Amino acid sequence: MNLEKTSVETDKNNEQNVVELKNLHIRYDTDDAKVYAVNGISIKLKKQSTLGLVGETGAGKTTTVLSLLKLVPNPPGKITEGEILVNGRDVMKMTSEELQSMRGKEISMIFQDPMTSLNPVMTVGDQIAESILLHEDVNKKEAYERAKEMLKTVGISADRAGEYPHQFSGGMKQRVVIAIALACHPSILIADEPTTALDVTIQAQVLDLMNGLKEEYHTSMIMITHDLGIVAKTCDEVAVMYSGRIVEQGTLREVFERTKHPYTEGLFNSLPNINDRTAKLKPIAGLTPDPTILPEGCSFADRCQYVSDACRKGAPKEKWFSDTHMVACTAYENPTFHIEKEDKK
C-alpha cells in the first residue's frame, strides 16, 4: 500500500496536544447488562495533525470521540473514569454554556451518514448559517452570506443555498455537512467514517476536499474508519482499537511498515493481494468478545494465532518500541517474538 503521508514533522510549537484522553473508561448501563464500551483509552492529537482511529464496528471508536464533546448519551452512557482535555481545558469540568460554545467553534464533527445529518425542512444555506449565528457576532444576513461562501469553498455553487437536502446527491450532501462543520473554522475536526455512504469515486473527491480544507484552516483531525486505504491517504498517526482498548498506536509508517500487534496484522492480511489475484483473503477467525462479559486477559486471545496461557491471565502490558510506537500484547514478554506482515504493495 502506497503511503502518501509520513509522520508529522513539526516545530516545537506544533507539538502541542490539542486533544488528550487519559485512561478513559465509558460504560453503558442497560436493563439487562453493563456494556463496557471504552476500557482505558489514552490518546493524544497533535496540533495540525490527523489521527486515524481504526477498528471493527463495535470497537468503541464513536463512543470515544463523542466523549470529547461530552455527547455520550446519559443515560445509558456514563464516563466512569479518566480525563478529557481539549485545547488544554478539562471537558468534564465545563459548564453547559462552555460546552455549547466549544461545540462547533473549537471542535466539530462530521457524521458518517449525510442523509440523516441534515434537516430535511431547512435549506442548506440556513443550516450552515445557523451554526455561524450560534458562535459568531453577526446578523442573519451576514451569516447567510458566509454560508454561501462556505458552499463555494466545498465546491457547490452559492446559488444552491436556497435548496433543500433532498435536491442534492449523496456526495453533495456530505460536502454540505463538511461546510457546516467548518463554518466557524474549528481547530479540531472529528470525521466519523465520512465516506461510508458514498461510492468510490465520490469518496476520493470528499477525502481530497477534506485534506485541502484541513491544510487551509490549519485544522487538527481525528479520522474514524475501518478502511486502511483511507488511513494511508489522510492520516499522520494511527491508533488501532479493539474491544474498547488501544492495542497499537504509532506514526503511519510505523504501524503500516513495522506492524506489531496480531490484530493489526490480521487487518492487513484481510486486504486483497493486488500482486496475486488468485490469492485468497485471510479473514480474522472468530468474533469480537461480548462487551458485557470481557475476558480477564487479552480480548483478542480467542482469535489470535500466537495465543499462550499467559495471554488469558491478565491484561496485556504496553510495550514501547519508540517514543511514538506502542503495542499492548503479552507475546512481547518473549524478547524474540516478532510479526512478519505480508507485503501487498
Side-chain angles (χ1 to χ4, degrees):
M1 184 177 293
N2 181 36
L3 303 184
E4 297 188 14
K5 298 178 74 67
T6 59
S7 61
V8 188
E9 295 179 5
T10 55
D11 59 27
K12 291 183 179 179
N13 290 330
N14 285 344
E15 288 295 323
Q16 175 190 356
N17 297 316
V18 293
V19 167
E20 286 190 65
L21 297 179
K22 301 178 181 180
N23 194 34
L24 181 67
H25 291 255
I26 302 175
R27 187 181 74 215
Y28 291 98
D29 293 337
T30 69
D31 292 336
D32 300 322
K34 297 182 186 296
V35 178
Y36 297 92
V38 176
N39 305 296
I41 292 287
S42 294
I43 55 176
K44 297 176 181 179
L45 175 65
K46 295 176 184 175
K47 187 177 180 181
Q48 297 181 33
S49 72
T50 299
L51 171 69
L53 203 54
V54 183
E56 296 173 71
T57 299
K61 305 184 299 296
T62 299
T63 296
T64 298
V65 297
L66 284 176
S67 71
L68 296 175
L69 295 158
K70 208 175 181 183
L71 287 177
V72 175
N74 182 14
K78 184 184 297 183
I79 298 172
T80 59
E81 188 177 344
E83 193 172 359
I84 305 166
L85 301 177
V86 173
N87 289 325
R89 299 160 65 206
D90 190 340
V91 171
M92 298 299 294
K93 295 179 180 178
M94 287 185 183
T95 64
S96 297
E97 292 76 16
E98 288 173 328
L99 286 168
Q100 184 175 356
S101 175
M102 178 189 71
R103 297 167 184 157
K105 179 65 176 177
E106 290 183 57
I107 180 168
S108 287
M109 189 162 179
I110 300 170
F111 294 93
Q112 61 181 290
D113 187 0
M115 315 302 174
T116 57
S117 297
L118 297 170
N119 188 331
V121 297
M122 287 179 67
T123 67
V124 297
D126 284 338
Q127 293 188 58
I128 300 171
E130 182 180 44
S131 177
I132 298 169
L133 283 168
L134 281 172
H135 298 287
E136 305 286 348
D137 185 18
V138 295
N139 59 39
K140 288 185 178 181
K141 182 178 180 181
E142 291 171 327
Y144 197 77
E145 288 303 312
R146 281 183 52 178
K148 288 162 65 172
E149 288 299 315
M150 282 305 303
L151 280 178
K152 290 195 289 185
T153 299
V154 297
I156 299 175
S157 171
D159 295 338
R160 302 195 66 181
E163 296 182 12
Y164 292 86
H166 73 271
Q167 296 174 277
F168 291 79
S169 66
M172 288 292 190
K173 284 191 182 82
Q174 192 62 292
R175 288 171 182 263
V176 173
V177 171
I178 293 171
I180 293 172
L182 293 174
C184 295
H185 302 170
S187 59
I188 304 161
L189 182 65
I190 300 170
D192 188 357
E193 307 211 28
T195 61
T196 297
L198 309 176
D199 63 57
V200 176
T201 303
I202 304 301
Q203 279 187 19
Q205 293 176 5
V206 169
L207 289 174
D208 287 342
L209 171 65
M210 290 176 64
N211 281 335
L213 292 174
K214 173 183 171 290
E215 295 299 323
E216 180 179 348
Y217 293 123
H218 308 294
T219 306
S220 308
M221 183 162 67
I222 298 177
M223 173 68 75
I224 300 175
T225 184
H226 58 269
D227 189 328
L228 293 171
I230 290 176
V231 173
K233 187 176 179 64
T234 62
C235 298
D236 304 298
E237 300 189 23
V238 186
V240 181
M241 282 192 73
Y242 187 80
S243 289
R245 295 186 174 96
I246 300 294
V247 296
E248 182 169 3
Q249 64 182 12
T251 65
L252 181 71
R253 197 165 293 281
E254 285 172 335
V255 173
F256 272 59
E257 295 184 354
R258 296 189 286 279
T259 304
K260 297 297 183 183
H261 198 278
Y263 176 62
T264 315
E265 176 196 30
L267 293 178
F268 282 110
N269 288 344
S270 298
L271 297 173
N273 189 333
I274 62 174
N275 292 322
D276 183 3
R277 300 199 175 197
T278 64
K280 294 183 179 180
L281 295 179
K282 296 181 180 179
I284 302 172
L287 300 171
T288 54
D290 185 342
T292 65
I293 317 172
L294 291 175
E296 179 183 347
C298 176
S299 297
F300 190 62
D302 288 341
R303 308 176 72 185
C304 182
Q305 61 180 314
Y306 309 108
V307 66
S308 67
D309 290 341
C311 299
R312 304 185 190 278
K313 292 179 179 177
K317 298 177 181 177
E318 293 184 354
K319 180 175 176 62
W320 291 85
F321 293 89
S322 71
D323 290 341
T324 52
H325 195 187
M326 183 280 294
V327 65
C329 179
T330 304
Y332 285 95
E333 291 180 7
N334 176 354
T336 64
F337 178 77
H338 69 284
I339 281 176
E340 294 285 350
K341 185 170 69 71
E342 294 182 10
D343 186 3
K344 294 189 177 185
K345 292 181 180 179

